[in-house]
Amino acid sequence: MSAITLTPRALYQEVAEELRQRIFRRELEPGSWIDELRIAEEFGISRTPLREALKVLAAEGLVTMKVRRGAYVTEMSEKDLRDVYHLLSLLESDSAGVVATLAKPEDLRALQQLHAELETAVGERDRFFVLNEQFHMRLLELSGNRWRSQMVADLRKVMKLNRHNSLLKQGRIEDSLNEHRAIMAALLARDTAATVKAMQEHFAHGLEAAA
């Protein structure tokens, strides 16, 4: 089997990113055992950088290490899903409220541009996914709390383990877009309370669709 060519950055980071994307693409299914010998052979590496990569993924919650059994792709229970959405709702609604209060006019214009792109992506599911996440992460960036942004980034990785992505539900993309419109309108109105409420409702509806 030919080895995959890896770029020069820290080897374990490159391996972690490749495995992370395989998990997100469901090439490594939730609950499945990660065959370290096979993957090390495929990548043309020793098991040391692979194990370092698995530690990274375990810290992110994507992989679960089991004593004397090895590494498994994490499975999300219904409680896990509710807990992740609860935390995302708290963190992202707080962030949105900060932006409504403190953002510069040019920052709000940049968000408007992202939202306008989202409006054009309703019929393109993959593009909508990407733009949706960009909008949320841009809001976090504008709120100016890097610790909150890191927590949300990690939670969003775990959220991708859910087999029933909320945006896959029939009609959910259109509903999500309407919720984004409410968030954007509240931001432009500089209405902090309405922005927080709109973001909380967005996550509540997302959880309903994902459960």
Side-chain angles (χ1 to χ4, degrees):
M1 185 181 293
S2 61
I4 292 175
T5 302
L6 300 175
T7 57
R9 70 172 173 170
L11 184 57
Y12 78 92
Q13 292 177 330
E14 187 71 14
V15 173
E17 178 59 18
E18 174 63 25
L19 293 177
R20 189 182 292 118
Q21 293 307 315
R22 290 188 182 193
I23 290 170
F24 291 161
R25 294 193 301 265
R26 295 294 192 272
E27 292 171 18
L28 292 171
E29 287 277 351
S32 64
W33 175 61
I34 297 174
D35 187 339
E36 294 182 32
L37 286 175
R38 182 186 63 76
I39 289 174
E41 178 185 352
E42 179 185 354
F43 288 5
I45 60 174
S46 71
R47 292 177 71 181
T48 299
L50 176 56
R51 285 174 174 165
E52 289 301 312
L54 291 173
K55 287 178 185 177
V56 171
L57 299 179
E60 294 175 357
L62 297 177
V63 164
T64 300
M65 309 298 291
K66 299 183 180 182
V67 178
R68 292 189 295 277
R69 293 173 61 190
Y72 291 76
V73 180
T74 301
E75 286 188 282
M76 286 193 77
S77 67
E78 287 187 17
K79 183 180 184 303
D80 291 332
L81 187 64
R82 289 195 304 271
D83 288 347
V84 168
Y85 268 85
H86 175 68
L87 288 173
L88 284 171
S89 179
L90 289 173
L91 293 166
E92 295 206 34
S93 62
D94 182 65
S95 173
V98 171
V99 173
T101 305
L102 301 177
K104 299 174 183 177
E106 56 267 31
D107 293 331
L108 291 179
R109 285 195 293 272
L111 282 173
Q112 272 188 294
Q113 180 58 43
L114 262 178
H115 176 77
E117 291 184 51
L118 199 64
E119 291 272 5
T120 69
V122 173
E124 304 170 66
R125 191 182 69 189
D126 290 344
R127 182 165 166 254
F128 191 93
F129 285 2
V130 171
L131 290 169
N132 176 67
E133 185 150 345
Q134 286 178 359
F135 181 89
H136 282 267
M137 297 310 292
R138 181 60 178 149
L139 260 180
L140 284 158
E141 182 183 342
L142 291 175
S143 70
N145 186 325
R146 67 188 179 99
W147 303 108
R148 177 170 50 207
S149 296
Q150 184 58 58
M151 290 172 68
V152 169
D154 286 345
L155 286 167
R156 282 185 166 273
K157 289 173 188 172
V158 173
M159 188 168 63
K160 291 177 183 177
L161 290 170
N162 182 35
R163 292 176 186 269
H164 305 290
N165 188 297
S166 66
L167 290 175
L168 295 177
K169 185 175 180 180
Q170 183 68 33
R172 178 57 195 152
I173 284 181
E174 291 79 6
D175 290 343
S176 177
L177 183 57
N178 283 329
E179 291 155 20
H180 271 259
R181 288 170 182 152
I183 293 166
M184 198 67 241
L187 285 166
L188 293 173
R190 299 283 189 175
D191 189 331
T192 301
T195 302
V196 170
K197 184 173 184 291
M199 186 63 80
Q200 289 171 341
E201 290 178 349
H202 180 50
F203 277 99
H205 294 148
L207 175 57
E208 288 176 9

